[in-house]
């Protein structure tokens, strides 16, 4: 299949949703309804563990949370691992 630069450019303009998953938790609805401002929900990831970078529902990389250099009020992710095609099929 020949690669047409015009088709590739069209693909590069497709928007995707990127999420950084710090962790997850499971709880009963009754406990969820009791949550109030200031409540802490413990996640399954620990401090220092890599976070998952998810694109359109698939994990594509892992990384660590960092403070953005240009704006100390924002977080970013420094990628430490790109998840390979083989790992995607194993999920």
């Amino acid at each position: 299949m020949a690669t047409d630069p015009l088709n590739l450019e069209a693909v590069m303009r497709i928007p995707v949703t990127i999420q950084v998953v710090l962790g997850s938790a499971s709880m009963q609805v009754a406990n969820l309804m009791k949550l109030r401002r200031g409540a802490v929900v413990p996640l399954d990831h620990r401090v220092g563990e890599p976070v998952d970078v998810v694109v359109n529902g698939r994990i594509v990389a892992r990384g660590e949370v960092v403070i953005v250099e240009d704006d100390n009020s924002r977080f970013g992710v420094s990628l430490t691992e790109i998840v390979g095609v083989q790992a995607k099929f194993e999920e």
Side-chain angles (χ1 to χ4, degrees), residues 45-74:
H45 280 94
R46 299 198 181 278
V47 173
E49 287 184 351
V51 295
D52 294 330
V53 178
V54 179
V55 176
N56 287 347
R58 292 187 180 257
I59 298 173
V60 297
R62 291 190 176 83
E64 47 191 49
V65 177
V66 296
I67 296 174
V68 177
E69 290 180 21
D70 299 339
D71 182 355
N72 289 342
S73 67
R74 296 178 60 192

PDB file of all heavy atoms in Angstrom, residues 45-74:
ATOM      1  N   HIS A  45      -2.690   2.834  43.008  1.00  0.00           N
ATOM      2  CA  HIS A  45      -1.290   3.148  42.719  1.00  0.00           C
ATOM      3  C   HIS A  45      -0.648   3.803  43.941  1.00  0.00           C
ATOM      4  O   HIS A  45      -1.312   4.513  44.689  1.00  0.00           O
ATOM      5  CB  HIS A  45      -1.175   4.124  41.540  1.00  0.00           C
ATOM      6  CG  HIS A  45      -1.300   3.466  40.210  1.00  0.00           C
ATOM      7  ND1 HIS A  45      -2.497   3.376  39.537  1.00  0.00           N
ATOM      8  CD2 HIS A  45      -0.381   2.870  39.415  1.00  0.00           C
ATOM      9  CE1 HIS A  45      -2.314   2.759  38.394  1.00  0.00           C
ATOM     10  NE2 HIS A  45      -1.036   2.429  38.296  1.00  0.00           N
ATOM     11  N   ARG A  46       0.620   3.583  44.098  1.00  0.00           N
ATOM     12  CA  ARG A  46       1.358   4.185  45.211  1.00  0.00           C
ATOM     13  C   ARG A  46       2.216   5.331  44.692  1.00  0.00           C
ATOM     14  O   ARG A  46       2.511   5.411  43.506  1.00  0.00           O
ATOM     15  CB  ARG A  46       2.234   3.136  45.889  1.00  0.00           C
ATOM     16  CG  ARG A  46       1.439   1.989  46.463  1.00  0.00           C
ATOM     17  CD  ARG A  46       2.261   1.221  47.479  1.00  0.00           C
ATOM     18  NE  ARG A  46       1.535   0.112  48.032  1.00  0.00           N
ATOM     19  CZ  ARG A  46       0.653   0.204  49.026  1.00  0.00           C
ATOM     20  NH1 ARG A  46       0.405   1.371  49.573  1.00  0.00           N
ATOM     21  NH2 ARG A  46       0.048  -0.869  49.479  1.00  0.00           N
ATOM     22  N   VAL A  47       2.626   6.191  45.602  1.00  0.00           N
ATOM     23  CA  VAL A  47       3.501   7.310  45.255  1.00  0.00           C
ATOM     24  C   VAL A  47       4.771   6.756  44.616  1.00  0.00           C
ATOM     25  O   VAL A  47       5.356   5.793  45.117  1.00  0.00           O
ATOM     26  CB  VAL A  47       3.846   8.142  46.508  1.00  0.00           C
ATOM     27  CG1 VAL A  47       4.889   9.190  46.182  1.00  0.00           C
ATOM     28  CG2 VAL A  47       2.584   8.782  47.075  1.00  0.00           C
ATOM     29  N   GLY A  48       5.160   7.323  43.502  1.00  0.00           N
ATOM     30  CA  GLY A  48       6.371   6.894  42.814  1.00  0.00           C
ATOM     31  C   GLY A  48       6.138   5.865  41.723  1.00  0.00           C
ATOM     32  O   GLY A  48       7.010   5.638  40.895  1.00  0.00           O
ATOM     33  N   GLU A  49       4.971   5.223  41.721  1.00  0.00           N
ATOM     34  CA  GLU A  49       4.664   4.273  40.648  1.00  0.00           C
ATOM     35  C   GLU A  49       4.302   5.042  39.382  1.00  0.00           C
ATOM     36  O   GLU A  49       3.746   6.138  39.455  1.00  0.00           O
ATOM     37  CB  GLU A  49       3.482   3.374  41.036  1.00  0.00           C
ATOM     38  CG  GLU A  49       3.815   2.332  42.064  1.00  0.00           C
ATOM     39  CD  GLU A  49       2.637   1.410  42.355  1.00  0.00           C
ATOM     40  OE1 GLU A  49       1.510   1.665  41.885  1.00  0.00           O
ATOM     41  OE2 GLU A  49       2.855   0.424  43.074  1.00  0.00           O
ATOM     42  N   PRO A  50       4.603   4.476  38.216  1.00  0.00           N
ATOM     43  CA  PRO A  50       4.266   5.180  36.979  1.00  0.00           C
ATOM     44  C   PRO A  50       2.757   5.302  36.788  1.00  0.00           C
ATOM     45  O   PRO A  50       1.994   4.450  37.249  1.00  0.00           O
ATOM     46  CB  PRO A  50       4.880   4.303  35.875  1.00  0.00           C
ATOM     47  CG  PRO A  50       5.279   3.031  36.514  1.00  0.00           C
ATOM     48  CD  PRO A  50       5.289   3.216  37.992  1.00  0.00           C
ATOM     49  N   VAL A  51       2.352   6.372  36.135  1.00  0.00           N
ATOM     50  CA  VAL A  51       0.952   6.574  35.782  1.00  0.00           C
ATOM     51  C   VAL A  51       0.746   6.080  34.353  1.00  0.00           C
ATOM     52  O   VAL A  51       1.692   6.018  33.563  1.00  0.00           O
ATOM     53  CB  VAL A  51       0.544   8.059  35.905  1.00  0.00           C
ATOM     54  CG1 VAL A  51       0.627   8.518  37.352  1.00  0.00           C
ATOM     55  CG2 VAL A  51       1.390   8.946  35.017  1.00  0.00           C
ATOM     56  N   ASP A  52      -0.466   5.695  34.022  1.00  0.00           N
ATOM     57  CA  ASP A  52      -0.784   5.227  32.674  1.00  0.00           C
ATOM     58  C   ASP A  52      -1.215   6.398  31.804  1.00  0.00           C
ATOM     59  O   ASP A  52      -2.013   7.235  32.236  1.00  0.00           O
ATOM     60  CB  ASP A  52      -1.911   4.190  32.714  1.00  0.00           C
ATOM     61  CG  ASP A  52      -1.511   2.902  33.412  1.00  0.00           C
ATOM     62  OD1 ASP A  52      -0.308   2.559  33.367  1.00  0.00           O
ATOM     63  OD2 ASP A  52      -2.383   2.240  33.989  1.00  0.00           O
ATOM     64  N   VAL A  53      -0.698   6.446  30.579  1.00  0.00           N
ATOM     65  CA  VAL A  53      -1.126   7.430  29.593  1.00  0.00           C
ATOM     66  C   VAL A  53      -2.035   6.685  28.627  1.00  0.00           C
ATOM     67  O   VAL A  53      -1.618   5.722  27.976  1.00  0.00           O
ATOM     68  CB  VAL A  53       0.077   8.055  28.855  1.00  0.00           C
ATOM     69  CG1 VAL A  53      -0.398   9.046  27.806  1.00  0.00           C
ATOM     70  CG2 VAL A  53       1.018   8.727  29.848  1.00  0.00           C
ATOM     71  N   VAL A  54      -3.291   7.119  28.560  1.00  0.00           N
ATOM     72  CA  VAL A  54      -4.314   6.421  27.801  1.00  0.00           C
ATOM     73  C   VAL A  54      -4.787   7.315  26.656  1.00  0.00           C
ATOM     74  O   VAL A  54      -5.110   8.488  26.870  1.00  0.00           O
ATOM     75  CB  VAL A  54      -5.512   6.063  28.723  1.00  0.00           C
ATOM     76  CG1 VAL A  54      -6.613   5.360  27.952  1.00  0.00           C
ATOM     77  CG2 VAL A  54      -5.040   5.217  29.894  1.00  0.00           C
ATOM     78  N   VAL A  55      -4.797   6.767  25.444  1.00  0.00           N
ATOM     79  CA  VAL A  55      -5.289   7.493  24.267  1.00  0.00           C
ATOM     80  C   VAL A  55      -6.477   6.725  23.714  1.00  0.00           C
ATOM     81  O   VAL A  55      -6.353   5.547  23.375  1.00  0.00           O
ATOM     82  CB  VAL A  55      -4.194   7.642  23.187  1.00  0.00           C
ATOM     83  CG1 VAL A  55      -4.761   8.308  21.942  1.00  0.00           C
ATOM     84  CG2 VAL A  55      -3.018   8.439  23.728  1.00  0.00           C
ATOM     85  N   ASN A  56      -7.610   7.401  23.671  1.00  0.00           N
ATOM     86  CA  ASN A  56      -8.847   6.785  23.179  1.00  0.00           C
ATOM     87  C   ASN A  56      -9.104   5.417  23.808  1.00  0.00           C
ATOM     88  O   ASN A  56      -9.458   4.460  23.134  1.00  0.00           O
ATOM     89  CB  ASN A  56      -8.837   6.683  21.658  1.00  0.00           C
ATOM     90  CG  ASN A  56      -9.038   8.025  20.998  1.00  0.00           C
ATOM     91  OD1 ASN A  56      -9.417   9.001  21.642  1.00  0.00           O
ATOM     92  ND2 ASN A  56      -8.764   8.100  19.718  1.00  0.00           N
ATOM     93  N   GLY A  57      -8.887   5.323  25.118  1.00  0.00           N
ATOM     94  CA  GLY A  57      -9.207   4.107  25.858  1.00  0.00           C
ATOM     95  C   GLY A  57      -8.132   3.041  25.890  1.00  0.00           C
ATOM     96  O   GLY A  57      -8.334   1.994  26.493  1.00  0.00           O
ATOM     97  N   ARG A  58      -6.970   3.272  25.252  1.00  0.00           N
ATOM     98  CA  ARG A  58      -5.889   2.271  25.249  1.00  0.00           C
ATOM     99  C   ARG A  58      -4.636   2.849  25.896  1.00  0.00           C
ATOM    100  O   ARG A  58      -4.260   3.979  25.613  1.00  0.00           O
ATOM    101  CB  ARG A  58      -5.544   1.858  23.834  1.00  0.00           C
ATOM    102  CG  ARG A  58      -6.634   1.077  23.165  1.00  0.00           C
ATOM    103  CD  ARG A  58      -6.132   0.559  21.835  1.00  0.00           C
ATOM    104  NE  ARG A  58      -7.175  -0.180  21.192  1.00  0.00           N
ATOM    105  CZ  ARG A  58      -7.227  -1.506  21.147  1.00  0.00           C
ATOM    106  NH1 ARG A  58      -6.272  -2.212  21.686  1.00  0.00           N
ATOM    107  NH2 ARG A  58      -8.216  -2.124  20.542  1.00  0.00           N
ATOM    108  N   ILE A  59      -3.991   2.038  26.726  1.00  0.00           N
ATOM    109  CA  ILE A  59      -2.728   2.468  27.335  1.00  0.00           C
ATOM    110  C   ILE A  59      -1.663   2.483  26.252  1.00  0.00           C
ATOM    111  O   ILE A  59      -1.444   1.482  25.574  1.00  0.00           O
ATOM    112  CB  ILE A  59      -2.311   1.533  28.482  1.00  0.00           C
ATOM    113  CG1 ILE A  59      -3.345   1.556  29.603  1.00  0.00           C
ATOM    114  CG2 ILE A  59      -0.928   1.916  29.008  1.00  0.00           C
ATOM    115  CD1 ILE A  59      -3.084   0.542  30.701  1.00  0.00           C
ATOM    116  N   VAL A  60      -1.029   3.637  26.061  1.00  0.00           N
ATOM    117  CA  VAL A  60       0.016   3.755  25.043  1.00  0.00           C
ATOM    118  C   VAL A  60       1.381   4.028  25.654  1.00  0.00           C
ATOM    119  O   VAL A  60       2.402   3.855  24.990  1.00  0.00           O
ATOM    120  CB  VAL A  60      -0.317   4.852  24.000  1.00  0.00           C
ATOM    121  CG1 VAL A  60      -1.585   4.498  23.238  1.00  0.00           C
ATOM    122  CG2 VAL A  60      -0.429   6.205  24.652  1.00  0.00           C
ATOM    123  N   ALA A  61       1.398   4.476  26.913  1.00  0.00           N
ATOM    124  CA  ALA A  61       2.676   4.801  27.554  1.00  0.00           C
ATOM    125  C   ALA A  61       2.489   4.841  29.061  1.00  0.00           C
ATOM    126  O   ALA A  61       1.365   4.817  29.567  1.00  0.00           O
ATOM    127  CB  ALA A  61       3.189   6.150  27.053  1.00  0.00           C
ATOM    128  N   ARG A  62       3.619   4.912  29.752  1.00  0.00           N
ATOM    129  CA  ARG A  62       3.625   5.114  31.199  1.00  0.00           C
ATOM    130  C   ARG A  62       4.623   6.220  31.490  1.00  0.00           C
ATOM    131  O   ARG A  62       5.544   6.459  30.711  1.00  0.00           O
ATOM    132  CB  ARG A  62       4.008   3.825  31.917  1.00  0.00           C
ATOM    133  CG  ARG A  62       2.925   2.770  31.788  1.00  0.00           C
ATOM    134  CD  ARG A  62       3.151   1.574  32.686  1.00  0.00           C
ATOM    135  NE  ARG A  62       2.032   0.671  32.570  1.00  0.00           N
ATOM    136  CZ  ARG A  62       1.889  -0.238  31.601  1.00  0.00           C
ATOM    137  NH1 ARG A  62       2.814  -0.378  30.674  1.00  0.00           N
ATOM    138  NH2 ARG A  62       0.828  -1.014  31.558  1.00  0.00           N
ATOM    139  N   GLY A  63       4.417   6.898  32.600  1.00  0.00           N
ATOM    140  CA  GLY A  63       5.323   7.985  32.915  1.00  0.00           C
ATOM    141  C   GLY A  63       5.182   8.435  34.346  1.00  0.00           C
ATOM    142  O   GLY A  63       4.480   7.823  35.147  1.00  0.00           O
ATOM    143  N   GLU A  64       5.874   9.524  34.655  1.00  0.00           N
ATOM    144  CA  GLU A  64       5.813  10.072  36.008  1.00  0.00           C
ATOM    145  C   GLU A  64       5.280  11.497  35.956  1.00  0.00           C
ATOM    146  O   GLU A  64       5.532  12.241  35.011  1.00  0.00           O
ATOM    147  CB  GLU A  64       7.179  10.010  36.685  1.00  0.00           C
ATOM    148  CG  GLU A  64       8.317  10.500  35.850  1.00  0.00           C
ATOM    149  CD  GLU A  64       9.665  10.158  36.471  1.00  0.00           C
ATOM    150  OE1 GLU A  64       9.887   8.996  36.868  1.00  0.00           O
ATOM    151  OE2 GLU A  64      10.494  11.078  36.536  1.00  0.00           O
ATOM    152  N   VAL A  65       4.529  11.836  36.984  1.00  0.00           N
ATOM    153  CA  VAL A  65       3.938  13.171  37.069  1.00  0.00           C
ATOM    154  C   VAL A  65       5.037  14.172  37.402  1.00  0.00           C
ATOM    155  O   VAL A  65       5.860  13.928  38.283  1.00  0.00           O
ATOM    156  CB  VAL A  65       2.826  13.201  38.147  1.00  0.00           C
ATOM    157  CG1 VAL A  65       2.264  14.599  38.303  1.00  0.00           C
ATOM    158  CG2 VAL A  65       1.725  12.208  37.805  1.00  0.00           C
ATOM    159  N   VAL A  66       5.036  15.277  36.671  1.00  0.00           N
ATOM    160  CA  VAL A  66       6.013  16.343  36.891  1.00  0.00           C
ATOM    161  C   VAL A  66       5.280  17.677  36.910  1.00  0.00           C
ATOM    162  O   VAL A  66       4.146  17.790  36.468  1.00  0.00           O
ATOM    163  CB  VAL A  66       7.100  16.366  35.787  1.00  0.00           C
ATOM    164  CG1 VAL A  66       7.918  15.088  35.802  1.00  0.00           C
ATOM    165  CG2 VAL A  66       6.485  16.583  34.418  1.00  0.00           C
ATOM    166  N   ILE A  67       5.952  18.689  37.442  1.00  0.00           N
ATOM    167  CA  ILE A  67       5.420  20.056  37.388  1.00  0.00           C
ATOM    168  C   ILE A  67       5.934  20.687  36.106  1.00  0.00           C
ATOM    169  O   ILE A  67       7.121  20.590  35.789  1.00  0.00           O
ATOM    170  CB  ILE A  67       5.860  20.862  38.621  1.00  0.00           C
ATOM    171  CG1 ILE A  67       5.242  20.236  39.882  1.00  0.00           C
ATOM    172  CG2 ILE A  67       5.463  22.323  38.487  1.00  0.00           C
ATOM    173  CD1 ILE A  67       5.707  20.860  41.175  1.00  0.00           C
ATOM    174  N   VAL A  68       5.040  21.315  35.353  1.00  0.00           N
ATOM    175  CA  VAL A  68       5.412  21.947  34.092  1.00  0.00           C
ATOM    176  C   VAL A  68       6.354  23.107  34.384  1.00  0.00           C
ATOM    177  O   VAL A  68       6.058  23.958  35.228  1.00  0.00           O
ATOM    178  CB  VAL A  68       4.159  22.425  33.330  1.00  0.00           C
ATOM    179  CG1 VAL A  68       4.538  23.159  32.058  1.00  0.00           C
ATOM    180  CG2 VAL A  68       3.258  21.235  33.009  1.00  0.00           C
ATOM    181  N   GLU A  69       7.504  23.141  33.700  1.00  0.00           N
ATOM    182  CA  GLU A  69       8.530  24.143  33.969  1.00  0.00           C
ATOM    183  C   GLU A  69       8.042  25.573  33.773  1.00  0.00           C
ATOM    184  O   GLU A  69       8.367  26.459  34.553  1.00  0.00           O
ATOM    185  CB  GLU A  69       9.747  23.904  33.073  1.00  0.00           C
ATOM    186  CG  GLU A  69      10.516  22.666  33.434  1.00  0.00           C
ATOM    187  CD  GLU A  69      11.708  22.455  32.519  1.00  0.00           C
ATOM    188  OE1 GLU A  69      12.161  23.420  31.894  1.00  0.00           O
ATOM    189  OE2 GLU A  69      12.175  21.313  32.436  1.00  0.00           O
ATOM    190  N   ASP A  70       7.266  25.797  32.717  1.00  0.00           N
ATOM    191  CA  ASP A  70       6.827  27.160  32.396  1.00  0.00           C
ATOM    192  C   ASP A  70       5.706  27.658  33.287  1.00  0.00           C
ATOM    193  O   ASP A  70       5.435  28.853  33.338  1.00  0.00           O
ATOM    194  CB  ASP A  70       6.362  27.233  30.933  1.00  0.00           C
ATOM    195  CG  ASP A  70       7.477  26.892  29.962  1.00  0.00           C
ATOM    196  OD1 ASP A  70       8.656  26.984  30.357  1.00  0.00           O
ATOM    197  OD2 ASP A  70       7.168  26.525  28.825  1.00  0.00           O
ATOM    198  N   ASP A  71       5.018  26.747  33.973  1.00  0.00           N
ATOM    199  CA  ASP A  71       3.847  27.125  34.772  1.00  0.00           C
ATOM    200  C   ASP A  71       3.765  26.194  35.967  1.00  0.00           C
ATOM    201  O   ASP A  71       3.230  25.092  35.871  1.00  0.00           O
ATOM    202  CB  ASP A  71       2.591  27.026  33.902  1.00  0.00           C
ATOM    203  CG  ASP A  71       1.338  27.453  34.630  1.00  0.00           C
ATOM    204  OD1 ASP A  71       1.395  27.740  35.852  1.00  0.00           O
ATOM    205  OD2 ASP A  71       0.276  27.507  33.988  1.00  0.00           O
ATOM    206  N   ASN A  72       4.287  26.632  37.120  1.00  0.00           N
ATOM    207  CA  ASN A  72       4.336  25.786  38.316  1.00  0.00           C
ATOM    208  C   ASN A  72       2.970  25.395  38.858  1.00  0.00           C
ATOM    209  O   ASN A  72       2.878  24.595  39.783  1.00  0.00           O
ATOM    210  CB  ASN A  72       5.132  26.475  39.422  1.00  0.00           C
ATOM    211  CG  ASN A  72       6.610  26.511  39.105  1.00  0.00           C
ATOM    212  OD1 ASN A  72       7.093  25.770  38.263  1.00  0.00           O
ATOM    213  ND2 ASN A  72       7.327  27.391  39.770  1.00  0.00           N
ATOM    214  N   SER A  73       1.898  25.946  38.296  1.00  0.00           N
ATOM    215  CA  SER A  73       0.565  25.597  38.773  1.00  0.00           C
ATOM    216  C   SER A  73      -0.038  24.445  37.958  1.00  0.00           C
ATOM    217  O   SER A  73      -1.175  24.071  38.183  1.00  0.00           O
ATOM    218  CB  SER A  73      -0.363  26.811  38.704  1.00  0.00           C
ATOM    219  OG  SER A  73      -0.593  27.181  37.351  1.00  0.00           O
ATOM    220  N   ARG A  74       0.744  23.878  37.022  1.00  0.00           N
ATOM    221  CA  ARG A  74       0.226  22.803  36.168  1.00  0.00           C
ATOM    222  C   ARG A  74       1.103  21.561  36.254  1.00  0.00           C
ATOM    223  O   ARG A  74       2.298  21.636  36.432  1.00  0.00           O
ATOM    224  CB  ARG A  74       0.169  23.279  34.715  1.00  0.00           C
ATOM    225  CG  ARG A  74      -0.808  24.427  34.545  1.00  0.00           C
ATOM    226  CD  ARG A  74      -0.839  24.920  33.145  1.00  0.00           C
ATOM    227  NE  ARG A  74      -1.252  23.844  32.256  1.00  0.00           N
ATOM    228  CZ  ARG A  74      -1.157  23.922  30.951  1.00  0.00           C
ATOM    229  NH1 ARG A  74      -0.661  24.994  30.382  1.00  0.00           N
ATOM    230  NH2 ARG A  74      -1.547  22.930  30.198  1.00  0.00           N
TER     231      ARG A  74
END
